[in-house]
Amino acid sequence: MKKFLLALAIFLVPCISLFAKLSVVQLRTENQINPIGMDVKVPRFTWYLESEKRNTLQKAYEIRISTSENFRQMLWTSGKVESDQSVLVEYEGSPLESNTTYFWQVRTWDNHGQSSGWSKTGSFRTGYFDPADWSADWVGLGFEEDENRSSPYFRKEFSSTKKIKSATAYITARGLYQAYLNGEKIGDDYLTPGWTAYQDRIQYQVYDVTDKVKSKNALGVVLGSGWYRGYIGFSGQKNYYGDEISFLMELVLEYADGTKERILSDDSWTCNYGPILSADIYNGEIYDARMEMAGWNKEGFNQTNWKAVQIKDYGYESLVATYNEPIRKQETFKPIEMITTPKGEKVLDFGQNLVGWVQFKVKGKSGDKFRMTHAEILDKDGNFYTENLRAAKAELIYTLKEGEQTYEPHFTFFGFRYIRIDDFEGDIIPEDFTAVALYSDMEKTGEFASSHELINQLQHNIQWGQRGNFLDVPTDCPQRDERLGWTGDAQAFSRTAAYNFNVHSFFTKWLRDLELDQREDGAVPFVIPNVLGKDAAGSAGWADAATIIPWDMYMVYGDRRILEEQYESMVNWVGFMESNSKDHLWNTGFHFGDWLFYRPDDDNDGRAAVTDKYLIAQCFFAHSVQIMIHTAKVLGKEADQKNYEALLKNVKDAFLKEYVTPNGRLVSSTQTAYVLALHFDMLPESMREDAAKRLVENIRSYGVHLTTGFLGTPYLNHVLSRFGYDGLAFELLLREKYPSWLYPVTMGATTIWERWDGIKPNGDVQVPSMNSYNHYAYGAIGDWMYRNLAGIDTDPEHPGYKEFVVKPLLGGGFTHAKGALDTYYGKIVSEWKLDNGQFSLEVQVPVNTRATVYIPSTSSSTVKENNNSISSSQSLKILGEENGYVKVEIGSGIYTFTR
Ligand code: BGC
């Protein structure tokens, strides 16, 4: 009987799959595909559906979880749940165990009566849930440290005689580590364990090393100072979190016979110095290849002169599993040119301002030395320019061993496009140098392209600004002695960031640090992790990262839990503003204001676009309170919602009284003042049209130029579009003369600059004390390009793109724009073209979502979908005509609209 059933199944399975057109793909556990080492006790599952049938929605799902890959014994089955939820579905089974691999599958049913059958298997491995799960010792240097803080090397040998089922390594460090098993690097991530509010939490990484274990083995670990105790912050400080580095490691061996063994970091390890004579994030690395210890991380190495280690008593309370994607190697670049500068410097140009390091191959005599320095630009005369790096040396000093050798740095990174090589006796062969970009391994989710070449380059620059500055924390810049998680920059850019890459886990992790670093009185520090001290906190538009980013993550990923988790932090930040206000007017404390707004050199005419800092503060106060109202509503906290509604009214009333004349003029006559007042609805409806006109006049008075800084820029075009000035928004977008988004593009920028005029039209550079060529904040225009120009937007009532809006914006001479976005439901595309005046719009709607599409046309009777009049279409619903658009609702599928 069994055999018969099996034969029947073998026969039927292909038949079923022939007819079943619904399939489930991309199984994610907590935003990641098959994560290893996860300490979320109640993980959430996400999948998406594929079906060729239009208008397909999930009607029901069933999840099953097991510790065995063949699902023989079930840990949890959800049963068939009538629900269209396919994103972030919570696990509801019995508590998960530490260090265990779980397998899960899901099957779904749709509204057409199709069922998917069980999906392919997804998996996740838990980390340690409890500090008591750890047994290893923190291990540090056993001898007196040298002045340079050379990198210590640690090693230990062990044998494993039984047949291995699995081997899992748990590793972290106070400092940075690279670990090896039998000579091979463990994991493909770098600058681990990443940067968190170390005083409270340190992430550990978990690696599957099953295929690296042999019968005789050696483990090796090298450490660097990193963010933990290296130079950090711009005042020359070091040792912020401690002055000694150490690591913690457990290798869990599970044998085929069911037994387990752990190889631990403990006092049986030995240590020594090696070739890394100094390693520092800002300053770079000093490396002497002659001191390499061939085979130090392999079994059988002669370690007679290695010394005992020291055990540290740090405990395990601060250890947490890694939540976000680690830093990995990404794109590589070969030099596009070798330059001899007017000063005679030997320079290689990689053609792209990037963040990472250079791998190289050299040949020479033992003891030859050279220095490699990194820079973002060449100056006006074509010479290598490093002044804007301030105190960061950003150099590599390398001493050769005999013969040919290859190298890449370990515990540093650089922001650069050019390298200069000094003091090298041999020939520089450009092909032997490769620039490697390093950044958090976020999934690339967004694509924006258009018919305008310079705008495409701007999009390129925005994405590279993000790549370079999303290096475990969202940094302001990656090259000078700063590289800090500036909150203002992060909030300004977070929505744009979430189009280009999946930043869900990246920001979730960073927001946890934000909460931990938040002051008891609720003030949010300027930078997260905070290395600037307790007083550096509470600036309007910076601290609001605490409310803005969780809300953005909710909008984009539909993640309600992030609102729950951050709620207290959000409440506390708003509480800080409230308690520092008098009669609801917040006009105290230090603020950065509209940082880097337009300021002409010889300002006799008072054209500098200075916005009153407290006016700005009041606007962000209101904005954060508004977010609290939305958040309290989502979380069902009715009493809070009411309180915040009352507070918002008071905050806006105080704004009107203090900053708006009875005729509706703002005390600061700047673009940023009007932009913030309008975007955050600070003015009563009756005043808004006039205020928008004043904004427009202001822009025109500058010869159609923007004058906004960090805080006004993200919303400028949104406000213009909202009040019917799309044409002007296009003009600003396409302006090539300073100040504008395209000015740096015309000057050859490959990333977003910190300042509108990082390099002046005459080629002079801006003040070196603050002039980065890789700062993403002004790249926040990307949000408008995706949302308005390509036209892909969220529907706040159905976050995470469960339902969304497609509303392309024609104008500015564009004949084509395309936005594509990978969401948790699948790919959304909005691509429009004007081909000899013939308009077409292609829209792709993922299964289990719906879209409201706005087709630029004044009459639905002329609009066609796939060459058929939409009036007769069964697969869409005409919602009406609105301001030059025909509005339709569609379900999943690919649609081509013409008119
Ligand atoms: C950073 C900025 C930051 C600012 C504070 C600068 O040094 O580079 O991006 O937001 O300080 O205003």
Side-chain angles (χ1 to χ4, degrees):
M1 183 63 177
K2 253 190 191 167
K3 266 192 189 153
F4 170 73
L5 286 178
L6 191 72
L8 190 69
I10 290 171
F11 170 73
L12 279 178
V13 162
C15 299
I16 292 169
S17 58
L18 206 67
F19 298 110
K21 292 207 189 93
L22 183 70
S23 52
V24 183
V25 289
Q26 295 266 350
L27 271 62
R28 286 167 199 272
T29 312
E30 284 297 309
N31 326 332
Q32 319 263 357
I33 292 175
N34 303 340
I36 297 184
M38 198 201 65
D39 63 2
V40 179
K41 292 200 169 126
V42 182
R44 293 161 300 169
F45 304 113
T46 297
W47 58 89
Y48 75 70
L49 303 167
E50 281 180 343
S51 167
E52 278 165 19
K53 272 203 164 144
R54 277 189 172 178
N55 288 314
T56 301
L57 292 166
Q58 178 183 290
K59 286 301 261 184
Y61 69 81
E62 181 175 4
I63 300 174
R64 63 178 185 183
I65 298 194
S66 172
T67 47
S68 73
E69 220 169 339
N70 53 19
F71 293 89
R72 215 170 280 141
Q73 251 181 351
M74 228 56 80
L75 181 74
W76 177 58
T77 54
S78 66
K80 185 171 176 181
V81 182
E82 300 288 331
S83 162
D84 66 351
Q85 191 183 355
S86 58
V87 170
L88 300 168
V89 177
E90 285 198 356
Y91 171 70
E92 286 175 5
S94 51
L96 300 174
E97 282 176 33
S98 289
N99 193 40
T100 305
T101 301
Y102 294 91
F103 301 94
W104 69 280
Q105 289 178 325
V106 58
R107 59 176 164 174
T108 59
W109 292 263
D110 72 11
N111 53 334
H112 304 300
Q114 302 182 114
S115 73
S116 64
W118 287 109
S119 65
K120 283 196 180 142
T121 303
S123 68
F124 62 97
R125 187 176 179 94
T126 51
Y128 288 162
F129 287 123
D130 193 335
D133 291 330
W134 289 91
S135 352
D137 292 320
W138 285 92
V139 165
L141 197 61
F143 50 87
E144 204 182 320
E145 188 164 42
D146 66 12
E147 248 178 43
N148 275 346
R149 297 183 149 183
S150 299
S151 277
Y153 287 65
F154 300 84
R155 71 184 311 277
K156 178 194 168 68
E157 296 194 5
F158 69 96
S159 356
S160 123
T161 41
K162 293 199 252 176
K163 191 165 180 297
I164 297 265
K165 189 176 139 220
S166 76
T168 312
Y170 285 68
I171 318 175
T172 192
R174 290 173 137 76
L176 298 175
Y177 74 84
Q178 285 194 358
Y180 300 83
L181 176 53
N182 296 327
E184 268 181 67
K185 185 174 176 311
I186 298 179
D188 56 359
D189 36 8
Y190 291 85
L191 302 169
T192 42
W195 190 10
T196 45
Y198 288 140
Q199 76 286 354
D200 290 313
R201 53 184 221 123
I202 301 180
Q203 297 199 132
Y204 59 86
Q205 286 75 46
V206 181
Y207 307 95
D208 180 354
V209 291
T210 311
D211 53 10
K212 285 194 175 71
V213 180
K214 302 191 252 185
S215 54
K216 288 191 158 187
N217 304 278
L219 284 166
V221 172
V222 202
L223 297 180
S225 299
W227 297 285
Y228 186 80
R229 70 156 194 189
Y231 285 100
I232 197 79
F234 29 72
S235 54
Q237 71 176 345
K238 53 182 180 180
N239 302 335
Y240 194 82
Y241 297 99
D243 59 0
E244 287 177 324
I245 48 175
S246 53
F247 74 98
L248 181 74
M249 180 176 202
E250 300 203 9
L251 178 63
V252 184
L253 303 174
E254 290 183 52
Y255 294 111
D257 65 6
T259 58
K260 268 191 194 176
E261 190 185 356
R262 293 187 198 208
I263 313 297
L264 306 174
S265 52
D266 58 18
D267 60 7
S268 66
W269 288 59
T270 55
C271 64
N272 203 355
Y273 277 147
I276 304 176
L277 302 186
S278 163
D280 180 83
I281 287 179
Y282 294 161
N283 293 326
E285 228 162 88
I286 304 177
Y287 189 87
D288 189 338
R290 296 170 304 178
M291 297 177 73
E292 284 173 1
M293 306 163 289
W296 73 275
N297 48 18
K298 291 187 181 151
E299 170 271 323
F301 176 76
N302 177 359
Q303 57 167 50
T304 40
N305 58 349
W306 284 51
K307 314 199 176 53
V309 298
Q310 199 185 62
I311 301 305
K312 310 275 180 190
D313 188 19
Y314 296 132
Y316 314 113
E317 288 297 329
S318 59
L319 297 174
V320 291
T322 302
Y323 191 76
N324 57 323
E325 301 84 358
I327 295 168
R328 294 205 169 94
K329 289 181 177 171
Q330 313 284 350
E331 297 82 356
T332 56
F333 294 84
K334 285 287 180 192
I336 56 166
E337 200 183 349
M338 181 150 91
I339 303 166
T340 305
T341 69
K343 279 189 184 165
E345 303 155 311
K346 293 273 176 262
V347 170
L348 293 178
D349 175 5
F350 291 98
Q352 172 64 49
N353 194 355
L354 67 111
V355 177
W357 56 48
V358 174
Q359 291 171 338
F360 59 81
K361 188 163 88 183
V362 279
K363 208 170 168 178
K365 291 199 300 295
S366 174
D368 281 357
K369 227 183 189 161
F370 71 86
R371 195 151 56 96
M372 184 192 286
T373 314
H374 301 71
E376 293 181 288
I377 58 159
L378 302 181
D379 70 12
K380 197 176 176 173
D381 303 319
N383 291 315
F384 199 71
Y385 181 79
T386 55
E387 262 182 87
N388 68 330
L389 306 186
R390 304 193 305 216
K393 286 193 191 129
E395 66 182 14
L396 179 80
I397 299 175
Y398 186 85
T399 306
L400 279 74
K401 58 185 175 186
E402 196 64 37
E404 190 172 278
Q405 51 218 283
T406 54
Y407 174 79
E408 70 177 11
H410 305 78
F411 302 121
T412 185
F413 61 89
F414 309 99
F416 66 103
R417 170 176 166 168
Y418 302 91
I419 54 167
R420 184 184 67 205
I421 298 167
D422 293 314
D423 312 325
F424 188 52
E425 302 281 314
D427 287 334
I428 297 170
I429 303 166
E431 302 84 82
D432 291 344
F433 292 78
T434 308
V436 183
L438 291 163
Y439 52 87
S440 288
D441 197 16
M442 310 160 290
E443 275 176 59
K444 191 171 186 292
T445 47
E447 182 198 337
F448 175 89
S450 76
S451 51
H452 199 295
E453 276 315 306
L454 295 182
I455 294 296
N456 295 345
Q457 181 66 37
L458 175 66
Q459 166 65 9
H460 169 101
N461 296 1
I462 294 170
Q463 288 195 327
W464 273 94
Q466 180 166 359
R467 287 184 167 103
N469 284 298
F470 276 51
L471 200 89
D472 211 49
V473 306
T475 58
D476 56 335
C477 58
Q479 71 298 75
R480 66 184 181 219
D481 56 343
E482 194 147 358
R483 317 186 195 186
L484 305 175
W486 281 95
T487 44
D489 310 39
Q491 71 78 7
F493 189 67
S494 62
R495 235 356 241 275
T496 304
Y499 276 109
N500 291 324
F501 291 88
N502 183 332
V503 292
H504 191 180
S505 303
F506 180 87
F507 275 125
T508 302
K509 170 250 186 191
W510 186 72
L511 286 168
R512 289 178 185 162
D513 295 314
L514 182 147
E515 177 160 20
L516 287 166
D517 274 344
Q518 202 167 352
R519 232 163 49 190
E520 295 83 64
D521 64 358
V524 177
F526 300 160
V527 300
I528 300 295
N530 185 14
V531 289
L532 300 181
K534 287 240 176 231
D535 292 340
S539 172
W542 268 252
D544 300 278
T547 48
I548 293 171
I549 300 181
W551 183 253
D552 280 351
M553 295 302 106
Y554 173 67
M555 274 295 111
V556 173
Y557 302 109
D559 184 356
R560 194 173 180 273
R561 193 185 279 179
I562 204 169
L563 295 180
E564 282 164 0
E565 279 189 9
Q566 296 300 129
Y567 193 69
E568 203 182 318
S569 154
M570 297 164 83
V571 167
N572 290 343
W573 167 236
V574 171
F576 174 88
M577 292 187 276
E578 196 178 359
S579 53
N580 282 278
S581 306
K582 201 167 162 246
D583 299 329
H584 302 104
L585 189 68
W586 183 32
N587 58 359
T588 52
F590 168 81
H591 300 280
F592 290 110
D594 189 28
W595 192 247
L596 296 181
F597 54 84
Y598 172 69
R599 204 169 13 151
D601 279 345
D602 194 13
D603 193 20
N604 291 328
D605 214 18
R607 300 300 282 156
V610 187
T611 310
D612 186 295
K613 289 185 180 179
Y614 293 130
L615 178 153
I616 294 175
Q618 196 72 4
C619 289
F620 275 92
F621 186 7
H623 184 44
S624 277
V625 175
Q626 179 66 71
I627 290 173
M628 293 314 298
I629 295 170
H630 293 320
T631 305
K633 190 173 171 211
V634 170
L635 299 182
K637 296 177 187 290
E638 275 172 38
D640 286 8
Q641 188 189 333
K642 287 218 168 73
N643 289 340
Y644 286 121
E645 278 165 358
L647 176 60
L648 184 61
K649 184 173 178 318
N650 289 331
V651 172
K652 288 187 181 176
D653 285 348
F655 178 83
L656 283 178
K657 207 165 136 197
E658 190 74 10
Y659 300 112
V660 190
T661 69
N663 283 342
R665 204 154 54 82
L666 299 182
V667 297
S668 295
S669 169
T670 61
Q671 295 171 21
T672 290
Y674 284 98
V675 163
L676 296 183
L678 287 167
H679 196 69
F680 299 153
D681 292 334
M682 303 302 288
L683 304 172
E685 296 257 5
S686 59
M687 282 184 169
R688 292 181 191 169
E689 286 302 320
D690 274 356
K693 276 190 196 133
R694 287 177 206 271
L695 169 63
V696 169
E697 276 160 27
N698 184 299
I699 294 169
R700 296 226 162 96
S701 79
Y702 283 90
V704 190
H705 275 289
L706 52 74
T707 61
T708 46
F710 276 28
L711 297 184
T713 301
Y715 312 120
L716 175 59
N717 270 13
H718 283 301
V719 168
L720 290 173
S721 286
R722 175 175 160 194
F723 288 93
Y725 298 101
D726 282 321
L728 192 58
F730 273 118
E731 276 189 71
L732 287 181
L733 178 71
L734 296 174
R735 265 263 169 244
E736 292 178 26
K737 259 177 64 196
Y738 162 78
S740 69
W741 283 288
L742 287 187
Y743 168 70
V745 173
T746 64
M747 297 295 282
T750 58
T751 37
I752 299 293
W753 294 351
E754 177 171 26
R755 293 170 175 267
W756 295 119
D757 59 347
I759 301 175
K760 297 186 182 183
N762 67 2
D764 285 349
V765 292
Q766 256 290 1
V767 286
S769 58
M770 220 187 60
N771 191 20
S772 139
Y773 295 97
N774 197 356
H775 234 77
Y776 54 63
Y778 286 147
I781 184 64
D783 178 41
W784 186 84
M785 285 155 49
Y786 275 106
R787 248 204 256 202
N788 291 51
L789 186 43
I792 300 176
D793 202 357
T794 42
D795 173 349
E797 293 302 314
H798 306 276
Y801 298 96
K802 179 78 176 83
E803 293 189 18
F804 59 95
V805 176
V806 172
K807 190 177 183 184
L809 180 61
L810 275 60
F814 282 84
T815 54
H816 169 227
K818 176 183 180 182
L821 182 67
D822 288 320
T823 70
Y824 286 152
Y825 296 95
K827 195 185 266 313
I828 294 175
V829 178
S830 165
E831 178 168 17
W832 64 265
K833 278 188 192 132
L834 273 174
D835 204 354
N836 280 328
Q838 178 60 49
F839 173 80
S840 67
L841 170 66
E842 187 179 309
V843 181
Q844 190 172 325
V845 180
V847 173
N848 205 22
T849 69
R850 301 192 71 76
T852 303
V853 182
Y854 291 74
I855 305 140
S857 170
T858 42
S859 160
S860 57
S861 61
T862 55
V863 175
K864 291 182 174 165
E865 193 280 305
N866 207 10
N867 286 327
N868 299 314
S869 166
I870 56 169
S871 329
S872 55
S873 170
Q874 300 292 315
S875 59
L876 57 79
K877 193 157 122 203
I878 301 175
L879 300 174
E881 286 157 20
E882 202 180 285
N883 299 329
Y885 286 98
V886 169
K887 203 171 155 187
V888 300
E889 192 187 308
I890 54 179
S892 67
I894 297 176
Y895 300 76
T896 306
F897 297 99
T898 47
R899 61 178 186 195

